[in-house]
Amino acid sequence: MIIFLGVLFHFIGGFASGSFYIPYKQVKGWSWESFWIVGGLCSWLIVPPIAAWLTIPDFVEIIRQTNGQTLFITYVFGLLWGIGGLTYGLGVRYLGVSLGSSIILGLCSVFGAIIPSIYYQFYPKAGKDSIAMLFNSSWGQLVLIGLVVCIIGIIFCGRAGVIKERDFAKDKSMAVNNKDYRFGLGLFVAIVSGILSACFAFAIDAGKDMAEEANQLWKATHAGQGEFLFQNNVTYIVVLWGGLTTNFIWCMVLNARNKTFGDYVNKKTPLLANYLFSALAGITWFLQFFFYGMGESKLGNGASSWILHMAFIILIANVWGLVLNEWKGVSRKGYTWLILGIITIILSVLLVGFGNSIKL
């Protein structure tokens, strides 16, 4: 049951992340930087403390009592992740929801799952999985195989993207539903985003002392009821401060450069709807990590949780890509590679989930 709940929570989180960009597509007359930062203020500044307040009444005191070095490192990783999150939005804009998410999150899953285990190989810590533990245990080997299979699935999706671009080049009318599609620039942005987005996993780990304090406080009044599902909600606050810093500065720069500050009060656009859709996107985005924290409390904060989370997002994003006609008019060969990639990623999820069940 613990395994099932862990996978279920990761799926819900993955669904939220894979779907969060959809409301942005309903925003009319605003520049990208305007709707991105409005949604970001909800997801990085407003919603996290509300979620923490509802689940961890003493979260302010926990943050206050955490040593400065831990807070600083957590915040810095949040800054780096913020760059990854910023470029994620651009990657999805230039490559589409399905292809952009597949490449970005695939790279993110690799770096987010492997680098921490390499770090703990040289700096061991109780409860953390080292790379040697992964290679020398049956469950760890399954997790690694699942990771390799996930990478193969991403390569298949990337191949589908190349075919998609070629088809667009042959028939310009096919790009009507993909007016921002730019494969070369999008691929570069996606690579940067995929690498830096993995810093969220490092930030959660860096701020684990806060989550453990919340966990211990909860256990003191809930003896024998397992681990606290919402322990990471306090850590998210500090991590997302870093993400907000990066994104806010850049969006303000773009507003100034593109002279789009007027978007926020432009009565020629559906202002109320734009704010509501942007807020909905931001709230949906935050829910991914709300449920990630619940899944992590069941499965553990190792390679397995991160890979499951990323893989589910990739699957959901690809489904949305099909629903939104991002692949309309693409040849059967392109569709075949895309479907093959999705199936391969599903296989990777099953392998990782089974590896976890052996471990526990």
Side-chain angles (χ1 to χ4, degrees), residues 82-112:
I83 299 174
L86 176 65
T87 47
Y88 180 94
L90 291 172
V92 170
R93 176 184 179 185
Y94 294 137
L95 294 177
V97 174
S98 61
L99 181 58
S101 296
S102 296
I103 295 174
I104 293 169
L105 298 173
L107 289 169
C108 188
S109 69
V110 173
F111 284 93

Side-chain angles (χ1 to χ4, degrees), residues 77-146:
F77 275 128
L79 280 173
L80 295 174
W81 163 80
I83 299 174
L86 176 65
T87 47
Y88 180 94
L90 291 172
V92 170
R93 176 184 179 185
Y94 294 137
L95 294 177
V97 174
S98 61
L99 181 58
S101 296
S102 296
I103 295 174
I104 293 169
L105 298 173
L107 289 169
C108 188
S109 69
V110 173
F111 284 93
I114 294 299
I115 292 180
S117 64
I118 295 174
Y119 174 84
Y120 289 117
Q121 180 67 36
F122 297 98
Y123 302 96
K125 185 176 181 180
K128 302 299 180 181
D129 302 330
S130 67
I131 193 70
M133 292 172 61
L134 296 181
F135 276 104
N136 296 324
S137 62
S138 57
W139 68 266
Q141 290 167 4
L142 276 176
V143 169
L144 291 172
I145 291 172

Side-chain angles (χ1 to χ4, degrees), residues 22-291:
I22 306 305
Y24 282 139
K25 290 182 173 293
Q26 302 303 314
V27 175
K28 309 297 183 184
W30 278 11
S31 62
W32 178 88
E33 59 269 18
S34 298
F35 67 68
W36 184 256
I37 197 57
V38 170
L41 287 171
C42 290
S43 57
W44 306 318
L45 183 64
I46 299 173
V47 177
I50 294 175
W53 176 72
L54 291 173
T55 56
I56 310 173
D58 299 323
F59 78 94
V60 174
E61 189 62 26
I62 292 174
I63 294 175
R64 184 181 294 119
Q65 293 180 359
T66 302
N67 70 72
Q69 182 179 6
T70 296
L71 292 175
F72 177 74
I73 294 175
T74 304
Y75 175 77
V76 169
F77 275 128
L79 280 173
L80 295 174
W81 163 80
I83 299 174
L86 176 65
T87 47
Y88 180 94
L90 291 172
V92 170
R93 176 184 179 185
Y94 294 137
L95 294 177
V97 174
S98 61
L99 181 58
S101 296
S102 296
I103 295 174
I104 293 169
L105 298 173
L107 289 169
C108 188
S109 69
V110 173
F111 284 93
I114 294 299
I115 292 180
S117 64
I118 295 174
Y119 174 84
Y120 289 117
Q121 180 67 36
F122 297 98
Y123 302 96
K125 185 176 181 180
K128 302 299 180 181
D129 302 330
S130 67
I131 193 70
M133 292 172 61
L134 296 181
F135 276 104
N136 296 324
S137 62
S138 57
W139 68 266
Q141 290 167 4
L142 276 176
V143 169
L144 291 172
I145 291 172
L147 177 60
V148 172
V149 172
C150 184
I151 295 171
I152 293 173
I154 295 160
I155 293 173
F156 289 163
C157 289
R159 174 61 179 163
V162 172
I163 295 173
K164 177 181 179 181
E165 183 182 39
R166 290 176 181 171
D167 289 343
F168 280 1
K170 293 177 182 177
D171 186 354
K172 298 296 183 181
S173 64
M174 291 170 52
V176 172
N177 292 314
N178 301 265
K179 59 181 182 300
D180 291 325
Y181 187 79
R182 299 170 66 183
F183 184 73
L185 178 59
L187 181 61
F188 171 77
V189 171
I191 292 173
V192 173
S193 177
I195 294 173
L196 293 181
S197 291
C199 288
F200 201 100
F202 310 155
I204 293 174
D205 201 63
K208 195 62 178 176
D209 288 347
M210 289 180 280
E212 290 176 350
E213 178 64 20
N215 192 33
Q216 292 305 314
L217 290 173
W218 184 84
K219 283 185 173 181
T221 56
H222 299 78
Q225 296 186 32
E227 303 299 315
F228 184 32
L229 277 177
F230 307 108
Q231 58 184 271
N232 281 316
N233 283 354
V234 63
T235 309
Y236 292 154
I237 293 176
V238 180
V239 178
L240 295 176
W241 283 342
L244 174 63
T245 302
T246 306
N247 282 264
F248 184 80
I249 292 174
W250 180 241
C251 285
M252 292 302 99
V253 169
L254 289 180
N255 274 147
R257 179 188 298 173
N258 299 330
K259 299 180 180 179
T260 52
F261 279 113
D263 286 350
Y264 307 112
V265 293
N266 186 359
K267 294 183 179 180
K268 294 182 180 180
T269 65
L271 282 178
L272 179 60
N274 284 356
Y275 277 108
L276 289 176
F277 278 121
S278 296
L280 177 61
I283 294 170
T284 304
W285 181 94
F286 175 77
L287 288 177
Q288 69 167 307
F289 287 114
F290 184 84
F291 284 100

